[in-house]
Amino acid sequence: MINPRAAVVVVLVTLLVLAGGCGGLLQDPQEEANRAISQANEAIAEHNRHFERARSTYEEVKRRIEAGEDPTGEREEIRRARESLREARSRLREAREALSGVQELDVDPAVKRYARLLSEAMEAQLAAESRELDFYELLEEDPALEENRERALEILEEVGRGYERAERSYDEARELAESNPDVLRSGRQGG
């Protein structure tokens, strides 16, 4: 699975460049879009730091469960991972909120579509992270998964599918940015 964190960083950097593309047309809306994108970028960077902490624990516990091992000894790590993921989710919601106003601005339609695609990707990621939290809570209740192994495996499958959906949306947003060289070129030329 491709790391969703890396996709978020690449996509947002590209969005920032794309958003700067029509700066000479209507300065105020474009500045507002750039500011929103910058705020989203900062929130996503913070999300990624928390997400990576949670993700390393998630991957280890997932490996143990799929191998039929008992993750009981990981209880405190699971709790910390759950808290890190909750914090990551709050940062990703901030990023999504920062981009929400871009649709109302008078900016290039490609910028609006790109912000929409990125918001959709964040929504899919938030949904996957929500199910990942369900997984952590299940592990805290039943660390050996004596009664919940099948349910845990189902949740893990849902989480994987959710991250795949997010990744597809991130990819679509990146492709949109790459397919709009005129918007990108005008941003680099300052016009």
Side-chain angles (χ1 to χ4, degrees):
M1 176 169 60
I2 294 177
N3 183 342
R5 177 183 79 89
V8 170
V9 171
V10 169
V11 169
L12 278 175
V13 168
T14 306
L15 179 57
L16 188 56
V17 172
L18 180 62
C22 47
L25 300 176
L26 293 171
Q27 194 63 28
D28 292 341
Q30 191 59 51
E31 286 177 12
E32 191 173 334
N34 287 341
R35 191 171 31 259
I37 292 165
S38 177
Q39 290 171 350
N41 225 355
E42 290 171 17
I44 287 174
E46 186 65 23
H47 163 272
N48 293 343
R49 283 190 287 279
H50 291 286
F51 182 82
E52 283 302 313
R53 276 185 284 217
R55 200 67 181 158
S56 63
T57 299
Y58 169 82
E59 291 297 332
E60 177 58 25
V61 172
K62 177 182 173 187
R63 183 196 63 75
R64 285 183 175 200
I65 289 169
E66 289 174 339
E69 297 175 19
D70 180 358
T72 303
E74 307 287 329
R75 181 173 259 157
E76 183 58 28
E77 286 297 314
I78 292 166
R79 187 195 63 72
R80 282 196 297 267
R82 183 173 47 89
E83 292 306 314
S84 285
L85 188 57
R86 282 186 176 150
E87 186 63 30
R89 288 172 49 73
S90 72
R91 298 300 175 243
L92 196 57
R93 283 190 295 269
E94 287 174 18
R96 186 185 59 191
E97 182 64 30
L99 290 177
S100 67
V102 172
Q103 298 304 315
E104 307 305 318
L105 298 174
D106 187 16
V107 294
D108 190 287
V111 173
K112 289 182 179 187
R113 182 164 182 248
Y114 193 85
R116 182 184 51 77
L117 288 169
L118 189 56
S119 294
E120 289 171 6
M122 286 188 273
E123 191 63 40
Q125 183 159 346
L126 283 165
E129 289 175 357
S130 176
R131 289 302 285 158
E132 192 171 327
L133 280 172
D134 293 342
F135 174 71
Y136 292 138
E137 290 170 6
L138 182 66
L139 282 175
E140 282 188 280
E141 294 169 12
D142 180 13
L145 294 173
E146 294 170 355
E147 298 177 23
N148 295 302
R149 184 166 297 277
E150 289 303 313
R151 184 170 168 223
L153 290 171
E154 288 172 12
I155 291 172
L156 291 173
E157 286 181 36
E158 288 178 40
V159 169
R161 286 191 304 268
Y163 285 132
E164 287 172 6
R165 276 191 302 277
E167 186 177 324
R168 283 191 302 269
S169 291
Y170 287 130
D171 288 345
E172 190 176 346
R174 186 187 68 249
E175 289 169 9
L176 175 65
E178 291 171 354
S179 70
N180 283 281
D182 292 337
V183 173
L184 292 171
R185 190 175 318 117
S186 67
R188 278 184 249 131
Q189 294 171 352

